[in-house]
């Protein structure tokens, strides 16, 4: 049978789809027990993520009862809508949201994927990391974990301080380790590359591994704080298991003005990089203005969690129909 | 030559890198956490045959290599060179050396059509058709009636290639083989 002829078949085995259903039940039970409310928010929104390194897919709604045609973004995560629920007084919420990121396709990416996202009012990052740990323990049976700062991770493995090292040294290291033309990269670019090429593969070999205190420039929607060296860092963590990035958590930004500023800065950077600007979410800014509770939130790649559980090599092995056969 | 951006990189694309023509073998999309995306690319240097690994920023581009592929019929070997002829009616012939031929030597059959890659007018690689029919010269005797699956054995083909075949295959049988995987497909 040729490849073309077999493309009607699912990319996941029926056994893995069964595992998927069982895991979803485990997750649902976990949150029910914690008293976290399950919600469903739109996959299409008038606004999208302005994040410079996320590409949104777009859709269009018109005709019938829609008098004004709408340009809609397929959401890259349910974050904005969920934060509006928090501001409206929902309390702790979770959902498994189908999310879309244009062009992201690899062994570990599918442009359409399942994001497990939840928010806990009055949690700090430590509370949330503990909760991620319990959930992963429940699903994967991993019961050890470690935590390291972004700075210490670079120091211990590459013998360089990502905050204070001269840019040329980071560029030299990136060139040496990956064969890239390093001088074309800025500080974040070098760090991103070293992270993905040299550091991520080392993380979470035997335990669930958390990385914290990212550079402030990589804050996205997290609060900023000063670390013990006096540098501004993002109150953010990433969680890895067996070299795979599994989750990304924030102590959430609640300041409406700062949020509006970050949207504007993102779009300014988009313009300078010749990337399309994205309609910023004014509803989110208004929700923050009205007052969103202090909270921590995390987005966990549900497909990746399954990939680890099923010991699969490719994300498509746990998705019924990956993009090449959708 | 045209330039190709990382999102156009795919297996088989010919690009220039550090002055050498290269063929892209693999292009892996990598994206750390919230950061920017990169392409981790494996390329075969078509001059040396060596495999290079390089990382590029998403959106970076490379110049296409002036490498042309032609359909050519395999004629004969003089022991040092393997001679091919263009199928476009020009009767133009090209001689490929051992290095250009590489592993394809085990799929060479007279009058079969091959894809010959020319760089600066000289063959630098020869690719076999995806499927080729070759005769079995050596294998254990076939088991009669065993046409269902279950069990396999090695068989040597006229070109010297070794493939795993079902037990019912006999010496003298013509077999259709997938040259990409080296797998037996069917009796021809």
């Amino acid at each position: 049978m040729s490849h073309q002829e077999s493309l009607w078949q699912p990319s996941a085995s029926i056994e893995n789809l069964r595992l998927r259903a069982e895991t979803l039940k485990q997750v649902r039970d976990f949150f029910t027990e914690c008293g976290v409310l399950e919600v469903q928010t739109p996959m299409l929104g008038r606004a999208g993520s302005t994040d410079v390194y996320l590409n949104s897919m777009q859709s269009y709604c018109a005709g019938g009862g829609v008098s004004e045609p709408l340009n809609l973004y397929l959401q890259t995560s349910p974050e904005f809508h969920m934060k509006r629920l928090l501001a409206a007084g929902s309390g702790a919420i979770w959902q498994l949201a189908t999310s879309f990121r244009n062009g992201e396709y690899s062994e570990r990416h599918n442009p359409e994927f399942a994001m497990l996202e939840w928010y806990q009012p009055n949690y700090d990052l430590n509370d949330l990391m503990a909760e991620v740990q319990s959930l992963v323990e429940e699903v994967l049976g991993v019961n050890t974990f470690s935590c390291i700062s972004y700075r210490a991770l670079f120091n211990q493995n590459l013998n360089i301080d990502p905050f204070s090292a001269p840019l040329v040294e980071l560029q030299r290291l990136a060139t040496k380790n990956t064969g890239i033309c390093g001088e074309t990269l800025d500080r974040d670019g070098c760090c991103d590359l070293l992270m993905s090429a040299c550091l991520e593969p080392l993380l979470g070999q035997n335990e669930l591994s958390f990385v914290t205190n990212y550079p402030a420039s990589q804050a996205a929607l997290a609060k900023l704080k000063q670390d013990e060296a006096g540098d501004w860092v993002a109150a953010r963590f990433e969680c890895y298991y067996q070299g795979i990035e599994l989750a990304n958590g924030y102590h959430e930004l609640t300041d409406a003005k700062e949020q509006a500023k970050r949207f504007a800065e993102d779009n300014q950077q988009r313009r300078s990089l010749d990337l399309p600007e994205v309609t910023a979410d004014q509803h989110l800014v208004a929700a923050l203005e009205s007052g969103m509770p202090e909270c921590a939130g995390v987005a966990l790649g549900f497909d990746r969690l399954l990939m680890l559980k099923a010991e699969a090599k490719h994300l498509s092995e746990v998705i019924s129909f990956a993009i090449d056969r959708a | 030559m045209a330039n190709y951006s990382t999102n156009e990189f795919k297996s088989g694309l010919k690009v220039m890198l550090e002055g050498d023509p290269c063929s892209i073998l693999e292009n892996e999309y990598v994206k750390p956490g919230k950061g920017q995306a990169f392409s981790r690319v494996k390329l075969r240097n078509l001059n040396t045959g060596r495999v290079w690994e390089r990382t590029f920023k998403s959106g970076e581009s490379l110049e296409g290599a002036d490498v042309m592929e032609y359909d050519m019929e395999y004629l004969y070997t003089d022991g040092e060179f393997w001679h091919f002829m263009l199928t476009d009616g020009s009767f133009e012939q090209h001689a490929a050396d051992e290095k250009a031929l590489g592993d394809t030597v085990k799929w060479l059959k007279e009058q079969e059509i091959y894809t010959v890659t020319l760089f600066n007018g000289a063959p630098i690689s020869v690719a076999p058709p995806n499927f080729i029919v070759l005769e079995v010269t050596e294998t254990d005797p076939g088991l009669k009636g065993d046409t269902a699956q279950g069990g396999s054995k090695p068989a040597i083909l006229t070109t010297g290639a070794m493939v795993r075949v079902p037990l019912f295959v006999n010496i003298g049988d013509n077999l259709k083989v997938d040259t990409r995987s080296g797998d037996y497909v069917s009796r021809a």
Side-chain angles (χ1 to χ4, degrees):
Chain A
M1 189 164 40
S2 81
H3 184 59
Q4 272 303 323
E5 282 165 10
S6 64
L7 280 180
W8 69 266
Q9 291 182 327
S11 46
S13 64
I14 301 300
E15 187 191 348
N16 280 353
L17 294 181
R18 214 166 269 135
L19 188 73
R20 195 176 172 104
E22 283 162 18
T23 308
L24 179 57
K25 184 174 183 306
Q26 271 184 313
V27 168
R28 194 162 268 139
D29 291 347
F30 178 88
F31 286 114
T32 305
E33 218 159 281
C34 299
V36 181
L37 178 69
E38 181 172 3
V39 295
Q40 277 157 347
T41 58
M43 283 180 227
L44 290 167
R46 284 176 177 74
S49 169
T50 56
D51 190 306
V52 176
Y53 298 118
L54 288 181
N55 297 319
S56 296
M57 293 188 217
Q58 282 176 284
S59 189
Y60 184 69
C61 179
V66 181
S67 49
E68 288 283 319
L70 289 172
N71 283 309
L72 297 167
Y73 293 94
L74 280 83
Q75 302 293 287
T76 56
S77 88
E79 180 159 11
F80 297 171
H81 288 115
M82 288 182 85
K83 285 182 171 172
R84 286 162 63 187
L85 291 178
L86 289 161
S90 65
I93 46 175
W94 79 278
Q95 78 169 315
L96 187 69
T98 300
S99 303
F100 303 84
R101 295 183 178 185
N102 210 357
E104 299 198 4
Y105 184 45
S106 79
E107 280 185 5
R108 296 175 187 183
H109 297 87
N110 195 59
E112 173 181 343
F113 62 103
M115 187 81 104
L116 176 59
E117 189 149 324
W118 76 96
Y119 293 85
Q120 286 280 13
N122 303 317
Y123 268 38
D124 64 15
L125 277 188
N126 288 329
D127 300 329
L128 191 59
M129 283 193 279
E131 197 160 79
V132 169
Q133 195 201 334
S134 331
L135 177 73
V136 174
E137 180 172 353
E138 182 87 26
V139 175
L140 296 181
V142 193
N143 54 18
T144 52
F145 78 108
S146 65
C147 188
I148 189 169
S149 73
Y150 191 83
R151 187 198 304 270
L153 181 66
F154 276 72
N155 262 331
Q156 283 177 17
N157 297 288
L158 296 169
N159 204 18
I160 197 163
D161 186 321
F163 292 83
S164 64
L167 179 58
V168 286
E169 259 179 53
L170 284 165
Q171 290 172 333
R172 204 176 304 140
L173 202 59
T175 307
K176 189 181 125 202
N177 282 290
T178 68
I180 201 171
C181 182
E183 56 262 41
T184 63
L185 295 173
D186 62 10
R187 181 171 293 270
D188 280 331
C190 289
C191 289
D192 283 348
L193 185 56
L194 290 167
M195 187 76 182
S196 63
C198 309
L199 301 172
E200 283 187 351
L202 309 172
L203 288 166
Q205 282 317 315
N206 304 302
E207 78 293 346
L208 195 63
S209 176
F210 291 91
V211 181
T212 59
N213 292 359
Y214 279 69
S217 53
Q218 299 179 26
L221 301 180
K223 275 186 197 293
L224 297 183
K225 61 175 187 183
Q226 274 178 300
D227 71 358
E228 59 280 3
D231 284 309
W232 284 97
V233 294
R236 174 185 154 199
F237 68 80
E238 294 239 16
C239 166
Y240 290 85
Y241 188 56
Q242 292 178 359
I244 292 177
E245 184 216 354
L246 200 50
N248 180 26
Y250 298 146
H251 195 195
E252 300 292 347
L253 184 65
T254 49
D255 180 336
K257 280 206 185 82
E258 172 69 15
Q259 180 67 67
K261 188 176 139 229
R262 289 193 197 174
F263 281 156
E265 284 170 355
D266 279 352
N267 268 327
Q268 198 175 356
Q269 205 186 340
R270 283 179 161 270
R271 279 194 297 278
S272 71
L273 291 170
D274 267 337
L275 294 168
E277 284 182 57
V278 176
T279 310
D281 194 347
Q282 298 312 324
H283 290 320
L284 175 64
V285 175
L288 296 185
E289 255 162 29
S290 87
M292 185 176 87
E294 290 294 318
C295 65
V298 60
L300 185 150
F302 185 67
D303 308 299
R304 288 195 184 167
L305 184 68
L306 281 161
M307 183 178 160
L308 288 163
K309 190 170 184 173
E311 294 177 9
K313 282 261 173 290
H314 201 292
L315 204 65
S316 63
E317 293 171 48
V318 296
I319 295 175
S320 61
F321 297 96
I323 195 79
D324 62 330
R325 30 188 106 200
Chain B
M1 281 306 285
N3 279 318
Y4 296 98
S5 158
T6 53
N7 56 25
E8 298 171 287
F9 284 8
K10 59 177 181 184
S11 165
L13 184 72
K14 310 292 189 295
V15 291
M16 293 300 292
L17 185 64
E18 295 172 23
D20 279 337
C22 294
S23 177
I24 290 177
L25 300 174
E26 273 176 52
N27 175 26
E28 188 194 355
Y29 173 88
V30 283
K31 190 173 192 295
K34 284 269 161 196
Q36 59 177 285
F38 297 94
S39 284
R40 204 178 291 161
V41 184
K42 272 192 190 158
L43 315 97
R44 184 182 302 281
N45 181 322
L46 294 174
N47 273 333
T48 64
R50 282 181 59 184
V51 174
W52 280 346
E53 284 192 47
R54 290 285 189 282
T55 302
F56 300 93
K57 278 201 290 188
S58 231
E60 238 181 305
S61 59
L62 287 177
E63 189 193 344
D66 195 2
V67 169
M68 297 296 285
E69 289 181 343
Y70 294 95
D71 282 346
M72 295 195 201
E73 182 184 324
Y74 171 57
L75 302 174
Y76 65 97
T77 177
D78 57 24
E80 188 182 359
F81 290 99
W82 286 260
H83 297 269
F84 293 83
M85 184 177 71
L86 275 170
T87 57
D88 59 2
S90 67
F91 299 103
E92 189 181 310
Q93 291 190 22
H94 290 273
D97 62 11
E98 195 178 353
K99 203 177 89 186
L101 211 59
D103 281 348
T104 303
V105 71
K106 67 179 183 188
W107 307 118
L108 270 188
K109 184 177 154 190
E110 283 169 23
Q111 289 166 24
E112 191 71 50
I113 308 298
Y114 294 80
T115 304
V116 178
T117 305
L118 302 185
F119 180 59
N120 290 340
I124 48 169
S125 73
V126 179
N130 289 343
F131 299 100
I132 193 165
V133 173
L134 293 167
E135 192 185 324
V136 177
T137 56
E138 248 184 273
T139 191
D140 291 339
L143 292 177
K144 210 165 171 116
D146 188 0
T147 51
Q149 71 262 65
S152 69
K153 60 181 181 179
I156 312 270
L157 309 177
T158 43
T159 58
M162 204 268 282
V163 291
R164 306 278 321 168
V165 300
L167 299 178
F168 57 77
V169 167
N170 282 305
I171 292 173
D173 283 353
N174 279 312
L175 305 184
K176 184 176 174 187
V177 181
D178 187 329
T179 60
R180 292 161 296 185
S181 58
D183 289 342
Y184 162 89
V185 179
S186 64
R187 273 192 291 198

